[in-house]
Amino acid sequence: MPSIYQLKPAFQNLLRPMVQRLYNNGVTANQVTVLAGIVSVLVGAVIAWFASHPWIFVLVPIWMFLRMALNAVDGMLAREFGQQSHLGAYLNELCDIIADAALILPFALIPDASLLLVLLVTLLALFSEYAGVLGAMVGASRRYDGPMGKSDRAFVLGVLATGIALGWLGALWVDGVMAVVAALLVYTLVNRVRHGLSQVKENAPSA
């Protein structure tokens, strides 16, 4: 399925000179991963604390973009500079789902927005990422299939938050977008399981 994740190689090319400088200065992939996770939690906490002021949601698109950049940077440091590790794999997956939860949950504090829908999206985001990780466990690759992967969620929630910050969108829009995102996350989860199983079958030695 189409996904913003498919734009990642071009984005990485833009970041490559900066990644080289970070490596030259001794920055590690794990440091970048943990930094992105910690700042995501702090941003989510700040938004939650000041949620009665809609303008605070402008932090969501700003941080979502920076977080995507940091996620690309840590991956490039790991792959291209020999910093891949088992600890890094754990940190990458755990920090991602923690950051997702921290940045999605504040939408529940929009007056009259549905707490149930926001919680549903938070849980489905976690389940879809877990389904992607399980690909490697069953003999496939780590699955990033769309249509509502991490980058797609960041884009949609960033646009929604911008509308909230500008005073254009309210609870009805939050509920509508969350409902659509939830449906697409279910589709994403199914896609990741289905494509993971197909890959396993393709990789299986013929009798």
Side-chain angles (χ1 to χ4, degrees):
M1 291 295 296
S3 170
I4 291 175
Y5 182 79
Q6 295 166 348
L7 300 176
K8 188 174 181 179
F11 190 40
Q12 288 176 327
N13 289 336
L14 293 174
L15 294 172
R16 188 158 278 108
M18 182 183 70
V19 174
Q20 180 67 59
R21 288 195 294 273
L22 290 173
Y23 173 73
N24 292 342
N25 287 315
V27 176
T28 69
N30 288 352
Q31 289 171 345
V32 175
T33 301
V34 172
L35 175 65
I38 291 173
V39 177
S40 293
V41 172
L42 292 176
V43 169
V46 169
I47 295 171
W49 186 263
F50 294 101
S52 58
H53 305 283
W55 57 264
I56 197 67
F57 279 84
V58 76
L59 292 178
V60 174
I62 294 171
W63 176 245
M64 286 289 196
F65 178 78
L66 294 175
R67 179 190 166 205
M68 290 299 103
L70 290 174
N71 284 344
V73 167
D74 70 10
M76 294 168 70
L77 283 170
R79 289 188 304 273
E80 299 178 14
F81 295 94
Q83 296 183 1
Q84 290 178 312
S85 67
H86 295 305
L87 174 60
Y90 274 107
L91 290 175
N92 189 58
E93 298 295 345
L94 290 172
C95 287
D96 271 351
I97 59 175
I98 291 169
D100 267 356
L103 295 170
I104 295 171
L105 288 173
F107 285 93
L109 299 175
I110 298 293
D112 299 320
S114 170
L115 172 62
L116 181 61
L117 281 172
V118 175
L119 290 176
L120 181 62
V121 167
T122 304
L123 288 173
L124 287 172
L126 188 158
F127 295 157
S128 67
E129 293 308 311
Y130 189 56
V133 172
L134 283 174
M137 185 179 295
V138 299
S141 60
R142 202 295 190 191
R143 303 303 309 178
Y144 294 99
D145 308 278
M148 193 50 64
K150 179 173 63 179
S151 301
D152 308 291
R153 292 195 299 275
F155 176 77
V156 172
L157 296 177
V159 171
L160 176 61
T162 300
I164 293 169
L166 293 173
W168 296 347
L169 306 178
L172 189 61
W173 272 95
V174 173
D175 290 351
V177 170
M178 290 295 170
V180 172
V181 170
L184 292 175
L185 279 168
V186 171
Y187 191 22
T188 299
L189 193 159
V190 172
N191 269 340
R192 292 183 175 185
V193 173
R194 182 164 56 87
H195 292 162
L197 292 175
S198 295
Q199 188 179 10
V200 171
K201 188 178 295 185
E202 290 172 3
N203 293 343
S206 57

